[in-house]
Amino acid sequence: MEPVYDHILIRYAELSLKGKNRSHFEKRLQHNIRTALRKFPEVKVKRSFGRMFVELHGEDVQGVSDILQHLFGIHSFSPALKTDNELDGIKAAALFAIKDALPDEEGTFKVSARRIDKSFPVRSQKLNYELGSHILQNTGDITVDVHIPDVEVKVEVRQEATYLTCKTVKGPGGLPIGTGGRVMLMLSGGIDSPVAGYQMLKRGVDLQAVHFHSPPFTNERALQKVKDLTKVLSRYAGTEITLHVVPFTEAQKKIHEAVPGEYEMTIMRRVMLRIAEKVAAKNKALALANGESLGQVASQTLDSMFTINEVTTMPVLRPLVAMDKLEVIDIAQKIDTYELSILPYEDCCTIFLPPQTKTKPNRTKANRFEGNLDIEALVEDAAERTYKQTLSSAEELDKEFEDLF
Amino acid sequence: MIYFDNSATTRPYPEVVETFAKVSVDFFGNPSSLHPGGKQAERLLVQTRERAASLLNVDFKEVLFTSGGTESNNLAIKGTAYQHRSRGRHLITSEAEHPSSYETFRQLEQEGFNVTYLPVNNKGIVSLDDVKQAVGHETVLVSLLHVNNELGSINPVEQIGNFLLNHPKVLFHVDHVQGVGKVPLHLKNAKVDFCSFSSHKFHGLKGTGLLYARAGTKLSPIFKGGSQEHQMRAGTENVAGATAMVKALRMTQDAAVKRTKELYRMSERLIEELKSIDGVYVNTPEERAPHIVNFSVPGLKPEVLVQSYGEKSMYVSTKSACSSKFAEPSRVLTACGFSYERAASGVRVSLSFENTNEEMSAFIDYTKEMIPSLLKVVNR
């Protein structure tokens, strides 16, 4: 029997700490894995003893691994080779596995063999020795280190077959999507907000996004960019994401007319927050999330946050609040949103940017300036005209272009 | 018509022409325009690039649209030579390259660059050892064909690419124009920095091509102007051409999965039959691309063969279409060490996935009748 990748062993992240709720989390992860792997029809996903197994049934191990790598709730996984219980076959499989794990044939390893099937004639210690020397004889600069090896070749001889694992691939950790509540992400198109969305997804929330669009002051391309970012995020959500687009032009014009320049940004943010809260409530979200980071720009000082936050009682989650810009950029690059985010289009926060913005606005003044506006009507109107679109990374192509390729 | 000149150009797939027409009419906006028409064209171009990237297993940022193989080769070769001229002025290529590379190197030589033309063996293949010996401190580029356009022989680009990893300052360009869909090339495994593609060699339209330029590489542009194609190739993008090309690439890759073996069997049959005819020498080596068979009939001018086939509506060619109007012996066959007579009488039969076994049978039957009778006339 040629060695083949037979199944993938999956280890959970925090799920194992969940006590009585644990099976709820596990079931959700199992469901998410099944959904993510639906393009591999032969694959089966099973749970047992605090682990999960993806049975490959001939499907491509690399393709499946690429997908598992991005699924929240997975701590790590190891593809397992299956071979028959013949010493020569096990040797070949061990060599195959080590070459797969150390393609440059450099590094250290150890073999840890176990006989579940005690009728197998070679005892574990002897098997360690046999497999180890076979690997040493047939590879380049690979040596044995029994204490801290780069690779541990684990061998289990069972009744039906022998299984080998040696590569451990890290997953993203976090909790399975759908185990948290629903959160409405304020997605601007900058570098921060997509990263904030990713961080929220990591905690297992069911994410939707809201975007403020001000045509003709903001370009169609800016909206497209936000749609593209939503598609990228949907890759990590493992499912489509609903994007709510708020027509914000009218509100923005009125604010611009009625509010002194230095408070314009503050009031605009307060109005946005109210609209986002309405959209969230309509869609049964229990919190808002945004990409604010303390001290990054004028609207993100603590004074600003204090003044802006006054208008809502809904929790406003700020996963990036204590991060440095460079840390955020690192994540953005890792999750493939950075390149999209830096495309140079106007967004609603920059178009009417006054020469000066108050870094320490206060609530009294903000309320006074808002007195010049019919806030209620403005918010109601924008929320009313908000339209939604579901976006998915699986749909690589825009529908209108589909038949061209 | 039996069209066996697919290495010169291929018949565009009707679906590809349809895409070209539809994009030309429906999405004619300039992708750089700010209005919705421009945005739509840009959107399509972005998706075309992503599609191309996924078909080639590379990143979309690594795909540059060009006007074809010649431009891609020129851009990769001159672009690298000029960009890194302060680092070194030594370039390496082979004696069996396509004119669009070969002549570019000749031009660079006149501009003061120092070019090593590696020899090829009698199979038309460059040896890794020769590459190893040629690389020096001054070297900035190695540029080689993947599949030879006259012979169908295959250079060991993966080995060479991996060797060049030890020389991180030497960039590696591969001309994959003849290999697309016929001989797989995994750009990342072969550690290629630049790779040229030409749409009309895989049933796309003439005037469109692609250059893969690995992320992190820089090229001195040949066309200066706007900031299109990451500022490496100015000029309004040919959106319709690019989209049509990507469709052709997709269709060719699909066909390759299903029909490569059949293509090998068809050309194998031709080779066997040719070998059985007195006076015919097969130039194509045993390890070869599935679609090219080159043979010589010393004593017969290749034009005579091309004409004779032409009378029966069978289309073949002599050497590379780009140089076939010159009467000299083939530079490539000469480089393989073949005699003057043999190098001057090469005929190339080049197939595509559209050709059929019936066509091949008809071609073989006619060949077996025609060549002996022509030889009789000349030898009298």
Side-chain angles (χ1 to χ4, degrees):
Chain A
M1 189 158 105
E2 285 288 302
V4 285
Y5 280 104
D6 174 70
H7 65 263
I8 297 177
L9 167 75
I10 295 174
R11 300 171 197 88
Y12 306 144
E14 280 172 45
L15 270 61
S16 45
L17 307 176
K18 291 293 173 211
K20 283 180 186 156
N21 288 323
R22 176 168 159 176
S23 89
H24 163 67
F25 284 86
E26 287 184 3
K27 275 185 188 147
R28 187 69 209 193
L29 180 60
Q30 186 179 21
H31 169 85
N32 291 354
I33 293 175
R34 279 191 181 130
T35 318
L37 295 179
R38 72 197 143 204
K39 68 173 176 178
F40 300 97
E42 300 304 319
V43 155
K44 296 215 165 33
V45 184
K46 297 199 171 150
R47 288 189 292 141
S48 76
F49 313 115
R51 296 274 171 95
M52 221 171 282
F53 294 96
V54 174
E55 295 179 0
L56 289 168
H57 298 286
E59 297 284 4
D60 172 37
V61 64
Q62 193 57 49
V64 172
S65 303
D66 288 346
I67 290 173
L68 294 180
Q69 239 166 27
H70 296 300
L71 283 185
F72 290 119
I74 294 179
H75 175 259
S76 67
F77 59 90
S78 299
L81 279 172
K82 182 184 186 183
T83 185
D84 55 14
N85 295 353
E86 293 291 332
L87 187 57
D88 284 347
I90 299 172
K91 278 182 180 171
L95 189 60
F96 182 88
I98 197 105
K99 282 187 175 171
D100 190 52
L102 299 171
D104 295 333
E105 300 199 16
E106 272 171 36
T108 58
F109 78 103
K110 78 179 215 183
V111 180
S112 311
R114 279 171 69 201
R115 282 185 314 159
I116 311 292
D117 173 13
K118 299 292 181 201
S119 71
F120 186 72
V122 187
R123 306 188 63 159
S124 299
Q125 279 311 318
K126 179 85 161 76
L127 192 56
N128 284 342
Y129 170 79
E130 289 280 346
L131 297 180
S133 48
H134 184 70
I135 289 170
L136 288 171
Q137 280 162 16
N138 290 286
T139 52
D141 290 332
I142 294 181
T143 52
V144 174
D145 180 345
V146 291
H147 302 294
I148 315 166
D150 296 330
V151 172
E152 184 175 358
V153 185
K154 293 184 189 156
V155 182
E156 271 188 22
V157 184
R158 291 172 170 272
Q159 248 85 22
E160 73 284 5
T162 297
Y163 296 93
L164 294 92
T165 60
C166 68
K167 193 161 62 170
T168 300
V169 184
K170 254 182 92 72
L175 297 173
I177 302 284
T179 54
R182 179 169 295 166
V183 170
M184 186 67 65
L185 170 72
M186 298 170 76
L187 190 60
S188 69
I191 296 170
D192 301 328
S193 51
V195 174
Y198 175 81
Q199 296 294 91
M200 290 317 303
L201 284 169
K202 186 169 184 178
R203 297 313 296 168
V205 304
D206 164 12
L207 197 75
Q208 298 199 349
V210 55
H211 176 69
F212 294 84
H213 184 40
S214 297
F217 301 106
T218 56
N219 196 312
E220 276 297 301
R221 283 176 161 85
L223 178 59
Q224 185 61 53
K225 174 166 108 169
V226 169
K227 290 180 184 170
D228 289 346
L229 285 167
T230 309
K231 282 188 186 180
V232 175
L233 283 177
S234 83
R235 209 191 294 165
Y236 304 102
T239 171
E240 56 191 19
I241 291 183
T242 305
L243 174 71
H244 303 270
V245 181
V246 182
F248 197 50
T249 319
E250 288 311 309
Q252 209 164 2
K253 277 200 242 171
K254 287 191 178 132
I255 295 166
H256 189 59
E257 282 160 19
V259 176
E262 54 176 16
Y263 265 80
E264 203 176 323
M265 173 70 85
T266 310
I267 305 298
M268 187 183 80
R269 291 277 173 176
R270 283 165 60 116
V271 171
M272 283 171 136
L273 207 54
R274 289 182 178 104
I275 298 171
E277 184 190 40
K278 271 231 151 54
V279 176
K282 263 189 195 171
N283 291 280
K284 302 195 167 65
L286 298 179
L288 297 170
N290 65 32
E292 287 177 344
S293 162
L294 198 55
Q296 199 180 91
V297 290
S299 66
Q300 299 177 19
T301 61
L302 207 50
D303 290 81
S304 261
M305 284 186 197
F306 180 73
T307 301
I308 293 167
N309 223 137
E310 184 186 11
V311 302
T312 181
T313 53
M314 195 175 259
V316 179
L317 308 175
R318 297 178 175 88
L320 312 188
V321 73
M323 277 192 198
D324 290 349
K325 191 73 182 179
L326 290 178
E327 295 175 79
V328 176
I329 289 175
D330 274 351
I331 300 177
Q333 281 172 333
K334 196 183 78 187
I335 64 173
D336 281 344
T337 56
Y338 184 73
E339 297 286 335
L340 278 169
S341 288
I342 58 173
L343 291 174
Y345 307 125
E346 296 282 349
D347 67 46
C348 58
C349 306
T350 53
I351 45 174
F352 297 136
L353 203 62
Q356 276 196 327
T357 291
K358 204 117 181 100
T359 52
K360 294 189 172 183
N362 71 56
R363 286 182 171 186
T364 323
K365 280 192 181 169
N367 282 311
R368 183 166 4 113
F369 293 131
E370 279 184 357
N372 303 334
L373 286 159
D374 186 353
I375 295 278
E376 195 66 24
L378 216 121
V379 168
E380 192 51 50
D381 171 60
E384 200 55 45
R385 288 187 294 122
T386 296
Y387 60 95
K388 66 178 179 182
Q389 192 174 358
T390 53
L391 295 156
S392 155
S393 62
E395 292 166 38
E396 264 177 69
L397 299 173
D398 287 1
K399 292 262 181 327
E400 61 174 325
F401 301 139
E402 224 164 22
D403 57 330
L404 294 173
F405 297 104
Chain B
M1 175 176 76
I2 295 180
Y3 185 77
F4 280 177
D5 194 16
N6 289 284
S7 288
T9 194
T10 50
R11 187 203 330 250
Y13 290 128
E15 296 91 331
V16 166
V17 180
E18 230 169 77
T19 285
F20 184 84
K22 190 165 166 28
V23 176
S24 301
V25 174
D26 292 354
F27 309 108
F28 68 90
N30 186 327
S32 300
S33 294
L34 289 172
H35 50 67
K39 187 221 149 189
Q40 204 179 25
E42 184 199 39
R43 190 78 205 130
L44 175 55
L45 192 68
V46 166
Q47 300 209 348
T48 300
R49 203 182 302 278
E50 280 172 0
R51 214 61 209 284
S54 87
L55 290 171
L56 299 174
N57 288 316
V58 300
D59 194 90
F60 72 95
K61 282 172 283 180
E62 302 176 314
V63 173
L64 293 182
F65 293 121
T66 67
S67 66
T70 295
E71 188 193 323
S72 293
N73 283 344
N74 270 264
L75 179 56
I77 296 166
K78 286 182 188 161
T80 303
Y82 296 151
Q83 179 71 33
H84 302 296
R85 68 199 320 165
S86 58
R87 190 199 284 166
R89 295 181 146 249
H90 179 229
L91 313 165
I92 299 173
T93 185
S94 89
E95 287 175 352
E97 295 301 301
H98 185 270
S100 58
S101 291
Y102 192 79
E103 295 301 327
T104 303
F105 281 108
R106 298 294 289 263
Q107 189 186 1
L108 286 169
E109 262 183 317
Q110 285 173 358
E111 292 174 25
F113 286 91
N114 173 15
V115 181
T116 300
Y117 296 92
L118 298 172
V120 293
N121 64 13
N122 60 0
K123 293 171 179 157
I125 297 170
V126 167
S127 91
L128 177 61
D129 283 340
D130 287 342
V131 176
K132 284 182 183 172
Q133 279 183 8
V135 172
H137 290 299
E138 291 278 290
T139 312
V140 292
L141 176 72
V142 174
S143 167
L144 291 171
L145 270 173
H146 180 218
V147 172
N148 187 288
N149 56 298
E150 289 191 40
L151 284 169
S153 36
I154 304 167
N155 270 323
V157 292
E158 192 162 335
Q159 284 175 35
I160 294 169
N162 279 294
F163 159 71
L164 289 175
L165 281 185
N166 309 325
H167 299 268
K169 285 183 180 172
V170 182
L171 293 155
F172 186 31
H173 167 240
V174 172
D175 173 350
H176 187 46
V177 167
Q178 284 297 337
V180 178
K182 306 300 194 318
V183 183
L185 173 62
H186 194 294
L187 296 167
K188 299 289 174 190
N189 290 350
K191 317 291 184 212
V192 173
D193 295 300
F194 305 106
C195 186
S196 304
F197 297 80
S198 173
S199 174
H200 76 106
K201 307 288 189 185
F202 50 86
H203 309 282
L205 297 161
K206 292 164 192 73
T208 49
L210 186 158
L211 180 68
Y212 158 77
R214 185 177 58 74
T217 55
K218 276 203 182 121
L219 289 170
S220 168
I222 298 175
F223 298 168
K224 279 275 195 183
S227 60
Q228 293 94 345
E229 302 300 312
H230 322 308
Q231 281 158 9
M232 295 213 248
R233 203 270 186 188
T236 300
E237 298 92 340
N238 178 357
V239 182
T243 308
M245 167 168 63
V246 170
K247 183 166 192 170
L249 182 59
R250 201 258 303 151
M251 291 178 69
T252 298
Q253 290 189 348
D254 288 350
V257 173
K258 294 181 202 126
R259 303 211 49 207
T260 303
K261 273 188 188 149
E262 210 175 320
L263 204 56
Y264 266 115
R265 276 198 293 273
M266 222 190 279
S267 52
E268 185 63 41
R269 219 177 108 209
L270 175 61
I271 290 172
E272 290 310 314
E273 297 285 357
L274 286 170
K275 280 182 181 164
S276 72
I277 305 172
D278 279 343
V280 175
Y281 296 85
V282 174
N283 301 320
T284 295
E286 253 171 52
E287 280 170 39
R288 65 194 169 85
H291 64 305
I292 299 178
V293 175
N294 189 308
F295 65 94
S296 295
V297 189
L300 276 185
K301 284 190 174 167
E303 290 83 347
V304 175
L305 286 167
V306 173
Q307 294 306 333
S308 308
Y309 282 120
E311 279 170 18
K312 297 277 175 193
S313 289
M314 297 175 178
Y315 296 172
V316 298
S317 57
T318 56
K319 42 201 167 182
S320 149
C322 302
S323 49
S324 60
K325 287 182 183 145
F326 304 103
E328 298 108 48
S330 153
R331 170 171 48 79
V332 174
L333 297 191
T334 307
C336 293
F338 295 135
S339 67
Y340 181 91
E341 276 278 272
R342 191 163 159 184
S345 62
V347 171
R348 178 181 69 182
V349 177
S350 50
L351 312 175
S352 83
F353 295 121
E354 296 202 317
N355 292 127
T356 63
N357 276 311
E358 290 71 41
E359 289 176 332
M360 184 51 84
S361 302
F363 183 81
I364 288 170
D365 289 346
Y366 181 60
T367 304
K368 283 159 92 173
E369 170 195 327
M370 184 231 336
I371 290 180
S373 70
L374 284 177
L375 279 175
K376 218 186 247 173
V377 179
V378 245
N379 291 340
R380 214 154 52 136

